[in-house]
Amino acid sequence: MDDGAAGTRDGRAALRESHGEDEGTHMDVNIGLLGCGTVGAGVVELMRRRADKITGMTGLRPTIARVLVRDVGKPRAVVLSAGQLTNDPQEIIGDPDIRVVIETIGGIEPARSLILQAIRAGKHVITANKDLIALHGAEIIAAAEGARVDVLYEAAVGGAIPLIRPLRESLTANDITDIKGIINGTTNYILSKMTATGADFSAVLREAQELGYAEADPSSDVDGLDAARKLTILSSIAFHSAVNLADVQVTGIRAVTARDVYYARELGTVIKLLAAASDRDGELTLHVRPTLIPQDHPLAHVSDAYNALYVRGDASGDLMFFGRGAGSLPTASAVIGDVIEVLRNVSQSVPGRVRTLVHSHKPVNHNAGEPARHYLRMTVADRPGVFGQIAGIFGDAEVSMETVLQKRVDEGRAEVVVVTHEVPAARLAAILDTLGGLPDLARIETSMPVERGAY
Ligand code: NAP
Ligand code: HSE
């Protein structure tokens, strides 16, 4: 297929001509769907509901011609004809009449190989696969540019929330300095439940798994990797720089306890898994970590499985995007939006319209991050003079304590919570080191940054 061959002529006319069709008829555009699980079934459903509207908008009629699955006999959430289902990828990749491929299999292989084969065969590709784009996005986008086809992946980050296109198109007049948000629904659900019920992490995780909110193997979500992959994708686009997963400093939520949630509330905050990236004079810093968010901050009110992203542009000022970060139809909404963009590009003979925006390799600061307030919870020996020693360690490091809470745990032990004033990361690390050298006096249980108040 060569959509570019039509040059500046109207692409629909060229397509009709090449298929021997008259003016006024709508060209069918055959689509191959790879995967028909949660997202794939949503895509089939929404495509059916919107087919006429899409045809009206683009002049092209999308038809899901073939659907690849592992098990053709498995019951599906949507009705498909026997002829539509296949477990042979070549029935899609090798079919010259299929012009657009939607990938909703997930994971790296076979998704990567199938996408690259589809691109080489001149097909446009839409994918919801953040793992693949985070790890192999550069390879896939380079292949697409070479083949002059579209590769779009709005659904890969934030489900229904438009994030990729605003960063890639609407906000390109800006220098983006910060992106910051809640981009993993599973951990947000768990932390919201811990906050609402006071229950511990493991009990809430079990319940979330029973309800289908968390996967049987929850590690990618609870250890922060899913959010880190999404942050990698968003940062490369926002900062026009190649960003690798290894550039993100990641801490998950397993170590967050009911005690931390309790103290967070006492301090007028809530704990969220915050993904944050900044560009300071061309140097990038990227973190995913549990963070105390003041209750007057809009991100504090993003609960359950919802996602939200703050973006700060030098001209736009602060923007916030909020909505459903996952689910069948919300994710399909983003996928079908991409399908419509592809069909518009095809109809106007302008495939590959938006080219790679990564045109630099900005250095990444792997250590520091900006000075921040920090929450420290420690267990200390309940003996005279111990608190004085701990205060001395903070004083010697020239870090002042903003808030101190103390509660007796049991005979001989007390729990001390300190919130520091803003402290550079290196100086905080030195304090933690010194405190860690006093095991009979004090043990650090948790350390988390505290976000500034309303943005
Ligand atoms: P899913 O429910 O597990 O569905 C995966 C589908 O792919 C199934 O239909 C499966 O076939 C098929 N499949 C898997 N391996 C295959 C193989 N080797 N060959 C052929 N077919 C294969 O996954 P999902 O939740 O829809 O997620 C799909 C993608 O969307 C992932 O990249 C995910 O990260 C992304 N995403 C998901 C959500 C969400 O809310 N779920 C939100 C945003 C993005 P069978 O049905 O026969 O097993
Ligand atoms: N596991 C992801 C989440 C699904 O919890 O946000 C959407 O990417």
Side-chain angles (χ1 to χ4, degrees), residues 294 296-298 373 451-455:
D296 66 357
H297 194 296
R373 291 156 69 214
E451 185 65 9
R452 291 197 182 102
Y455 221 60

Side-chain angles (χ1 to χ4, degrees), residues 110-421:
R112 173 181 160 274
S113 302
L114 293 177
I115 284 178
L116 287 171
Q117 286 172 41
I119 289 170
R120 284 188 208 113
K123 301 180 195 305
H124 305 285
V125 171
I126 291 147
T127 176
N129 192 333
K130 68 245 167 178
D131 302 356
L132 184 63
I133 294 297
L135 294 177
H136 299 282
E139 178 190 23
I140 288 169
I141 289 163
E145 288 193 356
R148 277 208 79 209
V149 296
D150 283 322
V151 169
L152 301 179
Y153 47 91
E154 182 64 67
V157 187
I161 313 170
L163 295 177
I164 308 283
R165 194 166 292 119
L167 288 172
R168 204 186 56 164
E169 298 188 41
S170 323
L171 292 170
T172 39
N174 287 267
D175 280 341
I176 306 286
T177 56
D178 295 88
I179 54 175
K180 188 177 290 193
I182 296 163
I183 50 178
N184 181 265
T186 305
T187 46
N188 204 41
Y189 176 85
I190 292 172
L191 291 171
S192 300
K193 277 281 171 221
M194 287 175 72
T195 302
T197 63
D200 228 323
F201 169 76
S202 46
V204 176
L205 172 62
R206 241 188 338 271
E207 188 200 318
Q209 286 171 317
E210 280 160 17
L211 291 170
Y213 285 104
E215 303 210 7
D217 175 3
S219 43
S220 165
D221 291 315
V222 300
D223 294 329
L225 288 173
D226 178 80
R229 290 185 193 117
K230 292 169 177 169
L231 188 65
T232 303
I233 296 171
L234 294 175
S235 301
S236 340
I237 302 169
F239 305 133
H240 307 301
S241 180
V243 175
N244 298 314
L245 193 54
D247 294 329
V248 188
Q249 296 173 61
V250 188
T251 309
I253 65 163
R254 284 186 202 265
V256 176
T257 66
R259 301 297 298 158
D260 297 312
V261 169
Y262 166 80
Y263 285 117
R265 188 183 298 122
E266 296 270 296
L267 293 163
T269 63
V270 287
I271 301 175
K272 299 285 183 191
L273 183 68
L274 196 70
S278 62
D279 180 341
R280 297 285 174 268
D281 300 320
E283 184 180 74
L284 307 184
T285 306
L286 303 98
H287 289 280
V288 170
R289 55 192 178 184
T291 302
L292 276 69
I293 313 270
Q295 272 158 5
D296 66 357
H297 194 296
L299 286 175
H301 304 285
V302 177
S303 295
D304 300 325
Y306 279 89
N307 283 192
L309 189 78
Y310 253 110
V311 177
R312 177 172 284 177
D314 63 341
S316 64
D318 295 342
L319 304 152
M320 184 164 160
F321 299 81
F322 167 81
R324 290 185 191 277
S328 185
L329 282 179
T331 310
S333 157
V335 171
I336 300 293
D338 280 350
V339 170
I340 293 167
E341 181 174 338
V342 164
L343 296 187
R344 281 180 171 144
N345 291 347
V346 167
S347 81
Q348 298 302 317
S349 299
V350 286
R353 188 174 52 85
V354 181
R355 306 192 66 78
T356 306
L357 299 175
V358 172
H359 37 63
S360 63
H361 278 265
K362 295 182 181 172
V364 176
N365 186 335
H366 288 270
N367 304 313
E370 291 173 345
R373 291 156 69 214
H374 271 267
Y375 158 98
L376 304 176
R377 179 170 63 85
M378 51 198 133
T379 313
V380 304
D382 196 3
R383 294 205 300 265
V386 170
F387 190 76
Q389 281 189 51
I390 291 169
I393 290 170
F394 280 86
D396 290 346
E398 294 182 27
V399 171
S400 71
M401 295 190 265
E402 181 190 279
T403 310
V404 178
L405 305 172
Q406 180 170 354
K407 282 206 183 339
R408 193 155 177 263
V409 179
D410 54 30
E411 195 61 44
R413 280 191 317 144
E415 197 166 48
V416 172
V417 167
V418 173
V419 177
T420 67
H421 280 285

